Amino acid sequence: MNEKFEERFSRLNPQQQLAVTSIDGPVMVIAGPGSGKTEILAARIAYILQNTDTNPDQILCLTYTEAGTVAMRQRLLQFIGPSAFSVAIHTFHSFGNEIIQDHLDLFGKNNLQALSDLEQIDTLNQIIQEFDINNPLFHATEYSEINRLKSLFSVLKMENWNPATVKNAIDEYLADLPNREEFIYKKNCQYGKQGDLKLAKIKEEEEKMLKLKAGVDCFSRYQALLQERARYDYQDMILWVLRAWQDNPDLLAVYQEKYQYILVDEYQDTNGAQNEIVKLLASYWDQPNLFVV
């Protein structure tokens, strides 16, 4: 395998070789599509294994999609053979799910399972059916409304946003509407004079924000239903691990000490919660061996 690696390594240009061999401390690589990012990541892992006493299972590679993990594993197989199966190559969500399943006792129940798409639709529909006539979302009986709640809850979790903080931000936004240019007439027209407020547009925005706040208010009910059913959804795989690490430093230390090298592909696409996972893992070291592309 060393000969195969050397042959592939010799094909890389000087900047690519530098990215492969700069294995100590934090490194960022900025590269466009088709510039050999997967080749660089795989070659770097092979170089680490050849030039340090690091074991394959002490290397963590986080990619953005399942297709990315497959491509990475296949490329690594070409470099290091069967040892590629020992390298921890995950999406952020599969990494989170593995931690949850390995420590079910820490997450509340021993029979916790990931939420299926059908179960999620059923859970969201139950929330909608519980609306009373005064709820701004009372009309929400169509599947499209289920999708809106699903999207909202996903964003709250992806960015690790507290519902109360979001509602405060909405209130601040509404209070500032009269000061925003898009809600003020720029010149005279049949609907108002220059400098007048666009009252109809402000009212429309207020109604939209009222519905958004009502949706945010549903978040706690959604989480309670998941807990009752011993389920966690796609975004919980990240959020639960993040909170468990924050609340349990000993658990975090297990993973900080385990992974000597961390590699993150498509780093620009990480959301708030995912980025916090990377920061916590890397925070153990003064100069973490963190490589982001």
Side-chain angles (χ1 to χ4, degrees):
M1 300 311 297
N2 284 347
E3 291 181 5
K4 181 143 193 167
F5 170 76
E6 292 297 336
E7 188 269 328
R8 294 281 281 273
F9 181 79
S10 66
R11 298 183 197 172
L12 302 179
N13 65 41
Q15 282 126 336
Q16 291 173 324
Q17 290 184 355
L18 183 62
V20 169
T21 59
S22 301
I23 60 174
D24 296 322
V27 178
M28 175 186 286
V29 169
I30 301 175
S35 56
K37 292 183 291 184
T38 303
E39 182 85 353
I40 295 304
L41 285 161
R44 183 179 175 86
I45 294 171
Y47 187 86
I48 290 169
L49 293 174
Q50 287 186 2
N51 292 275
T52 72
D53 59 0
T54 306
N55 295 324
D57 62 358
Q58 293 177 311
I59 299 174
L60 173 65
C61 182
L62 295 169
T63 67
Y64 208 68
T65 64
E66 290 293 346
T69 65
V70 172
M72 177 60 61
R73 188 86 65 190
Q74 290 176 341
R75 193 70 58 94
L76 198 54
L77 274 167
Q78 298 173 10
F79 283 129
I80 64 174
S83 294
F85 291 107
S86 297
V87 177
I89 303 176
H90 291 282
T91 65
F92 277 94
H93 292 94
S94 70
F95 180 57
N97 192 45
E98 181 175 281
I99 293 172
I100 291 171
Q101 291 299 319
D102 286 346
H103 302 278
L104 282 174
D105 54 319
L106 294 177
F107 292 93
K109 292 186 179 181
N110 289 328
N111 61 340
L112 275 172
Q113 296 181 26
L115 186 73
S116 70
D117 290 340
L118 188 59
E119 287 174 325
Q120 186 173 43
I121 291 171
D122 180 65
T123 303
L124 293 170
N125 188 60
Q126 179 176 336
I127 292 173
I128 290 173
Q129 297 303 318
E130 293 173 355
F131 291 159
D132 62 42
I133 195 170
N134 296 316
N135 192 305
L137 299 176
F138 179 72
H139 71 286
T141 57
E142 299 180 359
Y143 184 75
S144 61
E145 299 295 346
I146 289 178
N147 278 342
R148 289 190 182 98
L149 286 177
K150 178 181 177 182
S151 177
L152 173 61
F153 297 162
S154 179
V155 170
L156 289 174
K157 292 183 179 185
M158 284 192 299
E159 301 302 339
N160 195 19
W161 286 341
N162 183 288
T165 303
V166 174
K167 290 172 68 176
N168 287 337
I170 294 172
D171 289 337
E172 291 176 4
Y173 169 69
L174 288 173
D176 191 48
L177 290 183
N179 303 316
R180 293 175 173 259
E181 289 187 3
E182 61 268 33
F183 296 98
I184 302 173
Y185 286 109
K186 303 293 191 301
K187 53 187 177 181
N188 296 338
C189 65
Q190 60 177 318
Y191 300 108
K193 298 179 181 180
Q194 182 179 3
D196 286 349
L197 295 176
K198 299 179 180 179
L199 297 179
K201 187 172 182 180
I202 288 178
K203 182 179 180 181
E204 179 184 355
E205 194 71 5
E206 288 174 341
E207 291 176 351
K208 186 187 300 183
M209 291 300 103
L210 191 64
K211 290 181 179 180
L212 178 56
K213 288 179 73 173
V216 173
D217 281 334
C218 296
F219 182 71
S220 59
R221 177 58 176 156
Y222 175 69
Q223 290 299 94
L225 287 173
L226 294 190
Q227 186 173 7
E228 287 177 15
R229 300 175 182 187
R231 295 292 187 270
Y232 55 94
D233 70 13
Y234 191 65
Q235 302 304 338
D236 282 327
M237 296 177 190
I238 301 296
L239 208 53
W240 281 16
V241 169
L242 179 57
R243 288 174 179 167
W245 282 358
Q246 291 169 337
D247 295 339
N248 191 337
D250 290 339
L251 177 64
L252 172 60
V254 169
Y255 292 93
Q256 289 175 324
E257 294 174 10
K258 176 178 181 180
Y259 296 116
Q260 303 297 304
Y261 290 88
I262 304 166
L263 303 90
V264 185
D265 194 15
E266 304 292 353
Y267 183 67
Q268 75 282 355
D269 290 331
T270 56
N271 57 47
Q274 292 169 338
N275 192 48
E276 193 64 25
I277 288 286
V278 176
K279 286 172 63 179
L280 284 174
L281 278 175
S283 66
Y284 183 77
W285 310 97
D286 290 335
Q287 290 292 315
N289 296 323
L290 172 62
F291 181 78
V292 301
V293 180

